[in-house]
Amino acid sequence: AGVGAGGLLMALDVPQERGLGHLDQRFLDGLEVCRFPLLSFLQPLPLDWMYLLYTVMFLGALGIMAGCCYRLSCVAFLGPYWYLLLLDKTSWNNHSYLYGLLAFQLALLGADRYGSLDGLLRPQKRNAHVPLWNYTLLRAQIFIVYFIAGLKKLDADWVGGYSMSSLARHWLFSPFRLVLSEEMTSLLVVHGGGLVLDLSAGFLLFFDATRPIALFFVTYFHCMNSQLFSIGMFPYTMLASSGLFCHPSWPRRLCARCPPWLRGVLPSTQPPRPSPDCHYGGRRARGGLRPRQHLAAAFTLLYVLEQLFLPYSHFITQGYNNWTNGLYGYSWDMMVHSRFHQHVKITYRDGLTGEVGYLKPGVFTQSRRWKDHADMLKQYSTCLSHLLPRYNVSQPQIYFDVWVSINDRFQQRLVDPRVDLVRAPWSPWSPTPWLLPLLLELSPWRERLQELESQLDGHTDAVFIADFPGLHLENFVSEDLGNTSLRVLRGEVLVELVEQHQNRSLREGEGMQLPAGQYHKVHTVSPEPSCYMYLYVNTTALALEKNLTRLQELRERVRNGTETEPLPPELQPILGEPLPAGTVADPVVMAFLRRQRRLEEQNRRREASLAQRLHRFLRKKFYLFRRSALMTCISLRNLALGRPPLQQLAQEVAFANWRGEEEEARPEGGGRGQGDPEL
């Protein structure tokens, strides 16, 4: 068990000799993979066939965009998309779900009447009216996204400013921090502004008088989201959907304002022609409503009612309810809950020999979503039980110990670590019995926890723990943490020093120093949940920071001429000079150079002009699409001609992954980094 700079390692990041840590390489080699389909019978196709599926979906998307073979293109996109979505629950979110809904709607709508290739080939469709229910369906869907998201934000955590508490530190909110404190920016701008916008955006977009105001604020909102979060195309999709609420003639008016030489390649500016799919009142009425139009009206009504009901249908699918309700993806509870996982431990027990070992969390899968959902934990444990017998573990029993904090609460367990999830019951229609409840009664403690953290100096960190009666936390304090103590905030605990064979009882307000380099266990012995905190100083990280500061000062003295002593050979790289031959590189100097490069890159990005930022954005997208196109071509070649020798295939994949230069470092986010405390 070890510790990173500035991090506390708790509850067994177990050494490999105590478990099967080498299994990670088996997954990386692609030999065994655990998957999380919504329907158990769904399985992925072979890799080359998956790329063929992506190609069909891509061609379908192009056909929808151009209005070419429109219905066929919708089917070509819709089928593969929902297959991929149902194939992996870990990829579900509100955005991907929305794309699937819009694709389903487009397959039913007449979206190929204006500016489409089908209109050029089929005159009866060219520049024809679109039934009003088409617009109603799309507008209602976007309205529901906004309004239900606003209703979900009426949650006490969002209103109290705990859901996105760190977001106000982002540079985008710097103008607000000129007049407001960071706390008030988070409460009023991030949480209050998000709540008001989501509740009102749909209504404001609907009415002509308020639509310009709504368009301004939703555009500003989605542009900010595109910079705050890595959420793909969602902000741009929502920006494009704003045009649905405008008068249907706005594209014609826009084309009419273009220069005459450009109008020849643009869609027609003439008024639309009557369509047999539409029902007209007044003089243009041609009899009553036809059965097809009755069916379209009934479908629109039922679809809207279903979309209003589904976000609140979690009382039916109770097996998918955890601390939050349902599968994350169809409830429009966007950004309402933020989680921080302190530790995940996976224990296996041989059912025949009783041997106990530990698995590296995430082995056999690249997903991290399984840590928050009971249904995925059940699938993961079942998958592990099928794979471990290949490693001489008979009739394996799997136990999970997942510690997580939601919206700045205490770190607490998600599931009962004493239950073998391989044999534990789970049903989508009933509550999960081995899921531990969220300790909502401890929510008022969050203000006090923030006060305690604010009182710490810059070198001391804290981890706040809440545990259930009858359970214990096993913890290893690294030798890097030379000053670690435990203090009880509520309840009573028994601290067991494993190597010293000593026990000590602690009540509320009491604490003790913990020996470094040893294991200990914290047993909750009070009848109610216990709350306690770890205070620690990472002495190794503190010493490293002091050394880096000395190197920075030394470099400044050398550059301004105040340093008269010559630099030793191992320190010459801090001035940009190469390391002399035969000189061993100093790890501290290498760490200093890495940090300087990061700072320089951050400054370069911060000071970049708009043109430079646009160039970097386009370059990044170019290499992304380049890789997609090359990998698709490789897969189609493999299907048609067979796979080439492995060495050639590896060279082709390496060429597809080439970016032209070293991959740019990701910008800093608002969450915790790798060096933060880890249970």
Side-chain angles (χ1 to χ4, degrees):
V3 63
L8 174 65
L9 181 65
M10 293 183 175
L12 301 175
D13 189 358
V14 185
Q16 290 190 5
E17 59 268 19
R18 298 183 61 183
L20 298 178
H22 65 278
L23 293 186
D24 223 28
Q25 187 59 43
R26 299 283 293 176
F27 163 71
L28 294 176
D29 291 340
L31 300 181
E32 292 106 0
V33 178
C34 290
R35 301 181 179 89
F36 304 89
L38 182 64
L39 306 174
S40 58
F41 61 84
L42 288 177
Q43 294 296 324
L45 301 172
L47 181 61
D48 291 334
W49 286 98
M50 291 296 289
Y51 270 102
L52 178 61
L53 192 70
Y54 298 145
T55 303
V56 172
M57 188 167 62
F58 174 71
L59 294 176
L62 287 179
I64 295 174
M65 181 182 68
C68 179
C69 303
Y70 179 72
R71 300 296 178 190
L72 180 61
S73 297
C74 287
V75 173
F77 178 84
L78 184 64
Y81 186 88
W82 275 100
Y83 165 72
L84 295 171
L85 195 62
L86 298 176
L87 188 63
D88 185 13
K89 288 185 291 187
T90 64
S91 65
W92 274 54
N93 57 35
N94 295 282
H95 316 149
S96 58
Y97 173 61
L98 176 63
Y99 301 153
L101 293 179
L102 294 177
F104 169 69
Q105 293 177 24
L106 288 174
L108 304 176
L109 307 183
D112 58 342
R113 308 296 178 85
Y114 182 71
S116 68
L117 295 179
D118 285 349
L120 296 177
L121 302 176
R122 302 176 63 181
Q124 66 271 23
K125 283 190 173 185
R126 187 185 310 161
N127 200 23
H129 275 134
V130 175
L132 183 59
W133 71 269
N134 288 197
Y135 279 94
T136 302
L137 200 63
L138 291 170
R139 289 169 176 170
Q141 184 66 73
I142 302 303
F143 175 87
I144 288 172
V145 172
Y146 281 117
F147 187 64
I148 299 297
L151 294 180
K152 297 287 185 173
K153 286 182 173 63
L154 292 174
D155 181 87
D157 284 358
W158 183 274
V159 176
Y162 294 106
S163 297
M164 295 278 113
S165 57
S166 62
L167 200 60
R169 302 169 191 165
H170 197 278
W171 64 267
L172 281 172
F173 296 97
S174 300
F176 300 101
R177 294 200 301 269
L178 295 176
V179 294
L180 297 172
S181 65
E182 183 178 305
E183 293 76 13
M184 295 305 295
T185 300
S186 175
L187 182 62
L188 298 180
V189 180
V190 176
H191 293 87
L195 172 62
V196 172
L197 187 137
D198 279 340
L199 284 175
S200 62
F203 296 100
L204 297 177
L205 286 169
F206 187 78
F207 296 102
D208 293 340
T210 56
R211 189 174 301 121
I213 300 175
L215 289 175
F216 171 79
F217 281 105
V218 298
T219 300
Y220 182 73
F221 175 73
H222 292 303
C223 288
M224 288 186 68
N225 283 344
S226 68
Q227 300 299 311
L228 289 170
F229 309 108
S230 299
I231 50 179
M233 291 298 298
F234 180 71
Y236 312 108
T237 302
M238 296 303 292
L239 283 174
S241 68
S242 299
L244 293 171
F245 293 87
C246 300
H247 193 276
S249 64
W250 73 264
R252 304 176 194 277
R253 298 199 305 267
L254 181 62
C255 293
R257 292 177 178 270
C258 293
W261 59 269
L262 190 58
R263 295 178 194 171
V265 296
L266 294 177
S268 173
T269 59
Q270 299 298 319
R273 298 182 295 103
S275 170
D277 295 332
C278 298
H279 175 74
Y280 299 93
R283 297 179 179 178
R284 290 190 295 178
R286 298 179 181 177
L289 293 171
R290 290 174 294 172
R292 180 179 178 182
Q293 294 168 332
H294 282 290
L295 184 62
F299 168 78
T300 302
L301 181 62
L302 291 176
Y303 179 86
V304 172
L305 292 176
E306 177 265 342
Q307 283 295 301
L308 290 172
F309 169 75
L310 197 59
Y312 299 96
S313 64
H314 307 303
F315 64 92
I316 299 176
T317 55
Q318 298 185 63
Y320 294 106
N321 296 342
N322 301 280
W323 291 349
T324 58
N325 288 330
L327 282 171
Y328 180 72
Y330 63 90
S331 299
W332 313 119
D333 50 351
M334 292 174 280
M335 305 300 174
V336 177
H337 305 105
S338 59
R339 296 176 176 85
F340 173 56
H341 295 88
Q342 196 77 13
H343 163 69
V344 178
K345 181 175 70 172
I346 306 177
T347 306
Y348 69 85
R349 183 191 301 274
D350 192 303
L352 295 181
T353 66
E355 177 188 0
V356 175
Y358 303 90
L359 296 174
K360 184 175 181 179
V363 65
F364 300 125
T365 179
Q366 289 179 321
S367 171
R368 296 179 294 177
R369 187 75 65 84
W370 55 268
K371 294 182 288 188
D372 295 318
H373 299 274
D375 58 300
M376 297 186 195
L377 287 169
K378 176 65 177 179
Q379 287 178 297
Y380 194 23
S381 63
T382 302
C383 176
L384 293 175
S385 69
H386 294 157
L387 295 176
L388 290 184
R390 305 178 188 179
Y391 302 90
N392 300 321
V393 180
S394 303
Q395 302 177 12
Q397 304 168 9
I398 306 296
Y399 304 87
F400 287 91
D401 196 11
V402 181
W403 290 82
V404 61
S405 168
I406 185 169
N407 291 348
D408 292 341
R409 291 181 174 86
F410 283 96
Q411 290 284 337
Q412 68 160 94
R413 285 184 164 101
L414 177 67
V415 297
D416 193 331
R418 301 166 295 188
V419 176
D420 172 21
L421 296 196
V422 177
R423 294 160 183 83
W426 181 85
S427 169
W429 317 114
S430 59
T432 304
W434 37 271
L435 186 72
L436 296 177
L438 179 62
L439 296 173
L440 292 174
E441 65 272 18
L442 300 179
S443 296
W445 275 79
R446 287 181 288 193
E447 292 185 6
R448 184 178 176 187
L449 300 186
Q450 292 175 352
E451 293 176 1
L452 292 173
E453 283 190 316
S454 65
Q455 297 171 3
L456 302 177
D457 58 46
H459 305 298
T460 304
D461 288 314
V463 177
F464 301 100
I465 308 294
D467 205 2
F468 293 89
L471 298 180
H472 72 273
L473 168 66
E474 185 178 11
N475 180 20
F476 177 83
V477 179
S478 171
E479 294 181 353
D480 292 325
L481 307 177
N483 184 12
T484 303
S485 62
L486 183 145
R487 177 185 172 190
V488 179
L489 303 176
R490 172 184 166 177
E492 183 178 357
V493 301
L494 180 69
V495 181
E496 176 187 356
L497 303 179
V498 178
E499 297 183 13
Q500 301 178 14
H501 304 286
Q502 296 179 1
N503 295 335
R504 182 174 174 181
S505 179
L506 298 177
R507 292 182 172 85
E508 181 176 339
E510 298 178 346
M512 63 176 292
Q513 290 292 123
L514 297 171
Q518 298 183 22
Y519 283 96
H520 66 271
K521 298 180 181 180
V522 183
H523 301 262
T524 298
V525 295
S526 55
E528 72 277 357
S530 66
C531 302
Y532 51 93
M533 61 183 294
Y534 281 94
L535 291 174
Y536 64 96
V537 178
N538 191 326
T539 53
T540 302
L542 182 59
L544 175 62
E545 185 63 31
K546 291 181 178 179
N547 288 332
L548 295 178
T549 302
R550 292 194 187 102
L551 288 177
Q552 178 69 27
E553 295 172 350
L554 176 60
R555 188 172 74 165
E556 294 298 328
R557 291 199 303 270
V558 172
R559 287 181 173 179
N560 59 31
T562 58
E563 179 64 36
T564 58
E565 297 293 331
L567 287 182
E570 64 272 12
L571 297 183
Q572 291 182 7
I574 69 174
L575 299 178
E577 300 177 2
L579 191 68
T583 304
V584 179
D586 190 320
V588 177
V589 174
M590 296 298 103
F592 173 80
L593 295 177
R594 287 194 298 270
R595 186 170 74 167
Q596 292 301 311
R597 284 194 292 269
R598 287 196 301 269
L599 293 175
E600 292 172 359
E601 175 64 20
Q602 292 169 10
N603 292 333
R604 186 178 66 85
R605 290 192 174 193
R606 190 178 299 112
E607 298 171 359
S609 64
L610 180 61
Q612 291 173 328
R613 295 184 181 186
L614 179 61
H615 178 266
R616 185 170 64 241
F617 173 81
L618 294 177
R619 183 183 181 87
K620 181 179 179 181
K621 295 303 179 184
F622 167 76
Y623 281 109
L624 175 64
F625 286 111
R626 173 185 178 274
R627 180 187 184 278
S628 300
L630 290 176
M631 291 295 291
T632 301
C633 292
I634 292 172
S635 296
L636 296 179
R637 188 275 318 273
N638 293 345
L639 291 175
L641 305 177
R643 287 195 172 187
L646 185 60
Q647 184 178 3
Q648 177 185 342
L649 188 61
Q651 293 175 348
E652 293 172 348
V653 172
F655 178 73
N657 291 326
W658 181 68
R659 292 177 175 268
E661 60 181 17
E662 186 178 357
E663 184 176 356
E664 295 181 341
R666 292 186 178 181
E668 290 187 351
R672 299 178 184 258
Q674 294 180 349
D676 290 316
E678 181 181 357
L679 266 178

